[in-house]
PDB file of all heavy atoms in Angstrom:
ATOM      1  N   PRO A 110     130.886  76.001 130.452  1.00 96.00           N
ATOM      2  CA  PRO A 110     131.057  75.473 129.023  1.00 96.00           C
ATOM      3  C   PRO A 110     129.902  74.328 128.896  1.00 96.00           C
ATOM      4  O   PRO A 110     129.374  74.180 127.753  1.00 96.00           O
ATOM      5  CB  PRO A 110     132.418  74.827 129.017  1.00 96.00           C
ATOM      6  CG  PRO A 110     133.198  75.606 130.098  1.00 96.00           C
ATOM      7  CD  PRO A 110     132.189  75.963 131.065  1.00 96.00           C
ATOM      8  N   GLU A 111     129.721  73.489 129.966  1.00 95.00           N
ATOM      9  CA  GLU A 111     128.869  72.367 129.809  1.00 95.00           C
ATOM     10  C   GLU A 111     127.419  72.775 129.349  1.00 95.00           C
ATOM     11  O   GLU A 111     126.640  72.111 128.744  1.00 95.00           O
ATOM     12  CB  GLU A 111     128.738  71.562 131.066  1.00 95.00           C
ATOM     13  CG  GLU A 111     130.081  70.834 131.388  1.00 95.00           C
ATOM     14  CD  GLU A 111     131.123  71.693 132.159  1.00 95.00           C
ATOM     15  OE1 GLU A 111     130.886  72.912 132.281  1.00 95.00           O
ATOM     16  OE2 GLU A 111     132.201  71.080 132.565  1.00 95.00           O
ATOM     17  N   ALA A 112     126.980  74.026 129.912  1.00 96.00           N
ATOM     18  CA  ALA A 112     125.644  74.593 129.595  1.00 96.00           C
ATOM     19  C   ALA A 112     125.485  74.714 128.130  1.00 96.00           C
ATOM     20  O   ALA A 112     124.368  74.590 127.462  1.00 96.00           O
ATOM     21  CB  ALA A 112     125.461  75.829 130.346  1.00 96.00           C
ATOM     22  N   GLY A 113     126.496  75.089 127.377  1.00 97.00           N
ATOM     23  CA  GLY A 113     126.558  75.156 125.956  1.00 97.00           C
ATOM     24  C   GLY A 113     126.241  73.777 125.282  1.00 97.00           C
ATOM     25  O   GLY A 113     125.446  73.732 124.253  1.00 97.00           O
ATOM     26  N   LEU A 114     126.735  72.839 125.822  1.00 97.00           N
ATOM     27  CA  LEU A 114     126.585  71.433 125.305  1.00 97.00           C
ATOM     28  C   LEU A 114     125.173  70.995 125.463  1.00 97.00           C
ATOM     29  O   LEU A 114     124.489  70.469 124.544  1.00 97.00           O
ATOM     30  CB  LEU A 114     127.532  70.469 125.920  1.00 97.00           C
ATOM     31  CG  LEU A 114     127.674  69.048 125.380  1.00 97.00           C
ATOM     32  CD1 LEU A 114     127.938  69.091 123.852  1.00 97.00           C
ATOM     33  CD2 LEU A 114     128.704  68.152 126.137  1.00 97.00           C
ATOM     34  N   LEU A 115     124.678  71.239 126.673  1.00 97.00           N
ATOM     35  CA  LEU A 115     123.260  70.907 126.932  1.00 97.00           C
ATOM     36  C   LEU A 115     122.236  71.748 126.099  1.00 97.00           C
ATOM     37  O   LEU A 115     121.357  71.196 125.566  1.00 97.00           O
ATOM     38  CB  LEU A 115     122.846  71.111 128.476  1.00 97.00           C
ATOM     39  CG  LEU A 115     123.794  70.260 129.410  1.00 97.00           C
ATOM     40  CD1 LEU A 115     123.426  70.519 130.841  1.00 97.00           C
ATOM     41  CD2 LEU A 115     123.634  68.785 129.139  1.00 97.00           C
ATOM     42  N   GLY A 116     122.535  72.952 125.885  1.00 97.00           N
ATOM     43  CA  GLY A 116     121.712  73.767 125.002  1.00 97.00           C
ATOM     44  C   GLY A 116     121.698  73.320 123.538  1.00 97.00           C
ATOM     45  O   GLY A 116     120.721  73.261 122.935  1.00 97.00           O
ATOM     46  N   LEU A 117     122.894  72.992 123.074  1.00 98.00           N
ATOM     47  CA  LEU A 117     123.020  72.433 121.851  1.00 98.00           C
ATOM     48  C   LEU A 117     122.232  71.138 121.474  1.00 98.00           C
ATOM     49  O   LEU A 117     121.588  70.943 120.541  1.00 98.00           O
ATOM     50  CB  LEU A 117     124.486  72.282 121.292  1.00 98.00           C
ATOM     51  CG  LEU A 117     124.792  72.097 119.870  1.00 98.00           C
ATOM     52  CD1 LEU A 117     124.230  73.257 118.991  1.00 98.00           C
ATOM     53  CD2 LEU A 117     126.291  71.921 119.584  1.00 98.00           C
ATOM     54  N   ARG A 118     122.386  70.284 122.623  1.00 98.00           N
ATOM     55  CA  ARG A 118     121.696  68.997 122.388  1.00 98.00           C
ATOM     56  C   ARG A 118     120.143  69.260 122.311  1.00 98.00           C
ATOM     57  O   ARG A 118     119.437  68.645 121.458  1.00 98.00           O
ATOM     58  CB  ARG A 118     121.979  68.120 123.706  1.00 98.00           C
ATOM     59  CG  ARG A 118     123.257  67.531 123.690  1.00 98.00           C
ATOM     60  CD  ARG A 118     123.621  66.769 124.989  1.00 98.00           C
ATOM     61  NE  ARG A 118     124.947  66.215 124.943  1.00 98.00           N
ATOM     62  CZ  ARG A 118     125.571  65.777 126.077  1.00 98.00           C
ATOM     63  NH1 ARG A 118     124.933  65.770 127.181  1.00 98.00           N
ATOM     64  NH2 ARG A 118     126.734  65.219 125.891  1.00 98.00           N
ATOM     65  N   LYS A 119     119.651  70.253 123.204  1.00 97.00           N
ATOM     66  CA  LYS A 119     118.306  70.519 123.131  1.00 97.00           C
ATOM     67  C   LYS A 119     117.840  71.065 121.765  1.00 97.00           C
ATOM     68  O   LYS A 119     116.915  70.696 121.184  1.00 97.00           O
ATOM     69  CB  LYS A 119     117.875  71.342 124.339  1.00 97.00           C
ATOM     70  CG  LYS A 119     116.490  71.521 124.730  1.00 97.00           C
ATOM     71  CD  LYS A 119     116.108  70.225 125.447  1.00 97.00           C
ATOM     72  CE  LYS A 119     114.590  70.283 125.859  1.00 97.00           C
ATOM     73  NZ  LYS A 119     114.152  69.021 126.465  1.00 97.00           N
ATOM     74  N   GLN A 120     118.530  72.162 121.384  1.00 98.00           N
ATOM     75  CA  GLN A 120     118.195  72.956 120.140  1.00 98.00           C
ATOM     76  C   GLN A 120     118.359  72.053 118.944  1.00 98.00           C
ATOM     77  O   GLN A 120     117.457  72.121 117.963  1.00 98.00           O
ATOM     78  CB  GLN A 120     119.104  74.113 120.027  1.00 98.00           C
ATOM     79  CG  GLN A 120     118.991  75.081 121.083  1.00 98.00           C
ATOM     80  CD  GLN A 120     117.755  75.937 121.012  1.00 98.00           C
ATOM     81  OE1 GLN A 120     117.103  76.040 119.875  1.00 98.00           O
ATOM     82  NE2 GLN A 120     117.173  76.464 122.152  1.00 98.00           N
ATOM     83  N   MET A 121     119.320  71.156 118.898  1.00 98.00           N
ATOM     84  CA  MET A 121     119.487  70.178 117.699  1.00 98.00           C
ATOM     85  C   MET A 121     118.497  68.973 117.860  1.00 98.00           C
ATOM     86  O   MET A 121     118.521  68.191 117.045  1.00 98.00           O
ATOM     87  CB  MET A 121     120.835  69.816 117.481  1.00 98.00           C
ATOM     88  CG  MET A 121     121.852  70.975 117.014  1.00 98.00           C
ATOM     89  SD  MET A 121     123.401  70.332 116.632  1.00 98.00           S
ATOM     90  CE  MET A 121     123.225  69.291 115.162  1.00 98.00           C
ATOM     91  N   GLN A 122     117.774  68.831 119.013  1.00 98.00           N
ATOM     92  CA  GLN A 122     116.976  67.743 119.293  1.00 98.00           C
ATOM     93  C   GLN A 122     117.674  66.436 119.117  1.00 98.00           C
ATOM     94  O   GLN A 122     117.200  65.393 118.482  1.00 98.00           O
ATOM     95  CB  GLN A 122     115.691  67.671 118.355  1.00 98.00           C
ATOM     96  CG  GLN A 122     114.778  68.956 118.525  1.00 98.00           C
ATOM     97  CD  GLN A 122     113.647  68.830 117.585  1.00 98.00           C
ATOM     98  OE1 GLN A 122     112.761  67.914 117.648  1.00 98.00           O
ATOM     99  NE2 GLN A 122     113.450  69.766 116.740  1.00 98.00           N
ATOM    100  N   LEU A 123     118.805  66.330 119.839  1.00 98.00           N
ATOM    101  CA  LEU A 123     119.655  65.167 119.638  1.00 98.00           C
ATOM    102  C   LEU A 123     119.205  64.081 120.676  1.00 98.00           C
ATOM    103  O   LEU A 123     119.728  63.933 121.783  1.00 98.00           O
ATOM    104  CB  LEU A 123     121.041  65.524 119.952  1.00 98.00           C
ATOM    105  CG  LEU A 123     121.639  66.629 119.025  1.00 98.00           C
ATOM    106  CD1 LEU A 123     123.039  67.077 119.480  1.00 98.00           C
ATOM    107  CD2 LEU A 123     121.823  66.111 117.668  1.00 98.00           C
ATOM    108  N   PHE A 124     118.091  63.282 120.356  1.00 98.00           N
ATOM    109  CA  PHE A 124     117.480  62.501 121.305  1.00 98.00           C
ATOM    110  C   PHE A 124     118.113  61.317 121.658  1.00 98.00           C
ATOM    111  O   PHE A 124     117.931  60.720 122.693  1.00 98.00           O
ATOM    112  CB  PHE A 124     115.974  62.303 120.843  1.00 98.00           C
ATOM    113  CG  PHE A 124     115.949  61.379 119.579  1.00 98.00           C
ATOM    114  CD1 PHE A 124     115.807  59.950 119.826  1.00 98.00           C
ATOM    115  CD2 PHE A 124     116.044  61.848 118.379  1.00 98.00           C
ATOM    116  CE1 PHE A 124     115.623  59.160 118.715  1.00 98.00           C
ATOM    117  CE2 PHE A 124     116.036  60.985 117.282  1.00 98.00           C
ATOM    118  CZ  PHE A 124     115.785  59.587 117.467  1.00 98.00           C
ATOM    119  N   ALA A 125     119.045  60.735 120.799  1.00 98.00           N
ATOM    120  CA  ALA A 125     119.725  59.496 121.009  1.00 98.00           C
ATOM    121  C   ALA A 125     121.210  59.694 120.916  1.00 98.00           C
ATOM    122  O   ALA A 125     121.773  60.027 119.932  1.00 98.00           O
ATOM    123  CB  ALA A 125     119.248  58.451 120.041  1.00 98.00           C
ATOM    124  N   ASN A 126     121.979  59.251 122.078  1.00 98.00           N
ATOM    125  CA  ASN A 126     123.362  59.345 122.041  1.00 98.00           C
ATOM    126  C   ASN A 126     123.907  57.987 121.972  1.00 98.00           C
ATOM    127  O   ASN A 126     123.575  57.128 122.826  1.00 98.00           O
ATOM    128  CB  ASN A 126     123.719  60.004 123.363  1.00 98.00           C
ATOM    129  CG  ASN A 126     125.299  60.182 123.489  1.00 98.00           C
ATOM    130  OD1 ASN A 126     125.832  59.725 124.552  1.00 98.00           O
ATOM    131  ND2 ASN A 126     126.007  60.527 122.453  1.00 98.00           N
ATOM    132  N   LEU A 127     124.649  57.641 120.920  1.00 98.00           N
ATOM    133  CA  LEU A 127     125.162  56.224 120.741  1.00 98.00           C
ATOM    134  C   LEU A 127     126.538  56.156 121.123  1.00 98.00           C
ATOM    135  O   LEU A 127     127.492  56.927 120.681  1.00 98.00           O
ATOM    136  CB  LEU A 127     125.018  55.912 119.214  1.00 98.00           C
ATOM    137  CG  LEU A 127     123.675  56.189 118.457  1.00 98.00           C
ATOM    138  CD1 LEU A 127     123.776  55.601 117.148  1.00 98.00           C
ATOM    139  CD2 LEU A 127     122.543  55.623 119.259  1.00 98.00           C
ATOM    140  N   ARG A 128     126.902  55.245 122.106  1.00 97.00           N
ATOM    141  CA  ARG A 128     128.205  55.038 122.455  1.00 97.00           C
ATOM    142  C   ARG A 128     128.611  53.619 122.338  1.00 97.00           C
ATOM    143  O   ARG A 128     128.264  52.684 123.233  1.00 97.00           O
ATOM    144  CB  ARG A 128     128.403  55.512 123.982  1.00 97.00           C
ATOM    145  CG  ARG A 128     128.115  57.060 124.045  1.00 97.00           C
ATOM    146  CD  ARG A 128     128.318  57.609 125.417  1.00 97.00           C
ATOM    147  NE  ARG A 128     128.295  59.078 125.321  1.00 97.00           N
ATOM    148  CZ  ARG A 128     128.491  59.929 126.304  1.00 97.00           C
ATOM    149  NH1 ARG A 128     128.875  59.471 127.481  1.00 97.00           N
ATOM    150  NH2 ARG A 128     128.446  61.175 126.096  1.00 97.00           N
ATOM    151  N   PRO A 129     129.265  53.209 121.286  1.00 96.00           N
ATOM    152  CA  PRO A 129     129.632  51.804 121.030  1.00 96.00           C
ATOM    153  C   PRO A 129     130.824  51.428 121.863  1.00 96.00           C
ATOM    154  O   PRO A 129     131.775  52.209 122.050  1.00 96.00           O
ATOM    155  CB  PRO A 129     129.999  51.801 119.483  1.00 96.00           C
ATOM    156  CG  PRO A 129     130.265  53.217 119.053  1.00 96.00           C
ATOM    157  CD  PRO A 129     129.681  54.100 120.115  1.00 96.00           C
ATOM    158  N   ILE A 130     130.684  50.294 122.580  1.00 97.00           N
ATOM    159  CA  ILE A 130     131.777  49.763 123.339  1.00 97.00           C
ATOM    160  C   ILE A 130     132.391  48.484 122.694  1.00 97.00           C
ATOM    161  O   ILE A 130     131.783  47.450 122.780  1.00 97.00           O
ATOM    162  CB  ILE A 130     131.248  49.503 124.785  1.00 97.00           C
ATOM    163  CG1 ILE A 130     130.660  50.693 125.393  1.00 97.00           C
ATOM    164  CG2 ILE A 130     132.431  48.971 125.715  1.00 97.00           C
ATOM    165  CD1 ILE A 130     131.504  51.868 125.614  1.00 97.00           C
ATOM    166  N   LEU A 131     133.435  48.688 122.034  1.00 94.00           N
ATOM    167  CA  LEU A 131     134.102  47.565 121.301  1.00 94.00           C
ATOM    168  C   LEU A 131     135.515  47.587 121.619  1.00 94.00           C
ATOM    169  O   LEU A 131     136.383  48.398 120.962  1.00 94.00           O
ATOM    170  CB  LEU A 131     133.786  47.771 119.797  1.00 94.00           C
ATOM    171  CG  LEU A 131     134.371  46.725 118.915  1.00 94.00           C
ATOM    172  CD1 LEU A 131     133.929  45.316 119.164  1.00 94.00           C
ATOM    173  CD2 LEU A 131     134.019  47.093 117.363  1.00 94.00           C
ATOM    174  N   PRO A 132     136.101  46.928 122.585  1.00 92.00           N
ATOM    175  CA  PRO A 132     137.481  46.920 122.916  1.00 92.00           C
ATOM    176  C   PRO A 132     138.338  46.656 121.804  1.00 92.00           C
ATOM    177  O   PRO A 132     138.120  45.618 121.050  1.00 92.00           O
ATOM    178  CB  PRO A 132     137.674  45.973 124.049  1.00 92.00           C
ATOM    179  CG  PRO A 132     136.321  45.541 124.460  1.00 92.00           C
ATOM    180  CD  PRO A 132     135.347  45.806 123.400  1.00 92.00           C
ATOM    181  N   ASN A 133     139.362  47.372 121.654  1.00 89.00           N
ATOM    182  CA  ASN A 133     140.350  47.061 120.557  1.00 89.00           C
ATOM    183  C   ASN A 133     141.286  45.836 120.976  1.00 89.00           C
ATOM    184  O   ASN A 133     141.943  45.970 122.042  1.00 89.00           O
ATOM    185  CB  ASN A 133     141.137  48.305 120.199  1.00 89.00           C
ATOM    186  CG  ASN A 133     142.047  47.991 118.915  1.00 89.00           C
ATOM    187  OD1 ASN A 133     142.809  47.121 118.873  1.00 89.00           O
ATOM    188  ND2 ASN A 133     141.842  48.778 117.907  1.00 89.00           N
ATOM    189  N   PRO A 134     141.341  44.751 120.273  1.00 87.00           N
ATOM    190  CA  PRO A 134     142.070  43.591 120.744  1.00 87.00           C
ATOM    191  C   PRO A 134     143.555  44.014 121.037  1.00 87.00           C
ATOM    192  O   PRO A 134     144.213  43.380 121.909  1.00 87.00           O
ATOM    193  CB  PRO A 134     141.979  42.593 119.566  1.00 87.00           C
ATOM    194  CG  PRO A 134     141.156  43.210 118.486  1.00 87.00           C
ATOM    195  CD  PRO A 134     140.647  44.531 118.923  1.00 87.00           C
ATOM    196  N   GLU A 135     144.060  44.992 120.350  1.00 84.00           N
ATOM    197  CA  GLU A 135     145.454  45.396 120.565  1.00 84.00           C
ATOM    198  C   GLU A 135     145.599  46.024 121.851  1.00 84.00           C
ATOM    199  O   GLU A 135     146.696  46.214 122.324  1.00 84.00           O
ATOM    200  CB  GLU A 135     145.849  46.473 119.424  1.00 84.00           C
ATOM    201  CG  GLU A 135     145.675  45.939 118.030  1.00 84.00           C
ATOM    202  CD  GLU A 135     146.651  44.901 117.675  1.00 84.00           C
ATOM    203  OE1 GLU A 135     147.717  44.950 118.175  1.00 84.00           O
ATOM    204  OE2 GLU A 135     146.222  43.946 116.965  1.00 84.00           O
ATOM    205  N   LEU A 136     144.581  46.441 122.442  1.00 88.00           N
ATOM    206  CA  LEU A 136     144.797  47.325 123.729  1.00 88.00           C
ATOM    207  C   LEU A 136     144.112  46.700 124.948  1.00 88.00           C
ATOM    208  O   LEU A 136     143.977  47.230 126.066  1.00 88.00           O
ATOM    209  CB  LEU A 136     144.066  48.720 123.460  1.00 88.00           C
ATOM    210  CG  LEU A 136     144.692  49.475 122.323  1.00 88.00           C
ATOM    211  CD1 LEU A 136     143.791  50.755 122.087  1.00 88.00           C
ATOM    212  CD2 LEU A 136     146.098  49.914 122.579  1.00 88.00           C
ATOM    213  N   VAL A 137     143.713  45.389 124.902  1.00 87.00           N
ATOM    214  CA  VAL A 137     143.047  44.777 125.986  1.00 87.00           C
ATOM    215  C   VAL A 137     143.942  44.645 127.332  1.00 87.00           C
ATOM    216  O   VAL A 137     143.384  44.762 128.417  1.00 87.00           O
ATOM    217  CB  VAL A 137     142.584  43.354 125.730  1.00 87.00           C
ATOM    218  CG1 VAL A 137     141.394  43.320 124.783  1.00 87.00           C
ATOM    219  CG2 VAL A 137     143.634  42.442 125.251  1.00 87.00           C
ATOM    220  N   SER A 138     145.207  44.721 127.055  1.00 85.00           N
ATOM    221  CA  SER A 138     145.979  44.751 128.253  1.00 85.00           C
ATOM    222  C   SER A 138     145.888  45.896 129.112  1.00 85.00           C
ATOM    223  O   SER A 138     146.262  45.979 130.264  1.00 85.00           O
ATOM    224  CB  SER A 138     147.503  44.491 127.862  1.00 85.00           C
ATOM    225  OG  SER A 138     147.974  45.575 127.078  1.00 85.00           O
TER     226      SER A 138
END
Side-chain angles (χ1 to χ4, degrees):
E111 291 84 354
L114 190 54
L115 299 180
L117 191 58
R118 286 173 180 170
K119 197 72 178 175
Q120 296 287 335
M121 289 183 72
Q122 296 182 63
L123 304 170
F124 69 95
N126 177 230
L127 315 186
R128 298 185 168 181
I130 304 296
L131 180 59
N133 189 302
E135 303 294 322
L136 299 172
V137 288
S138 61

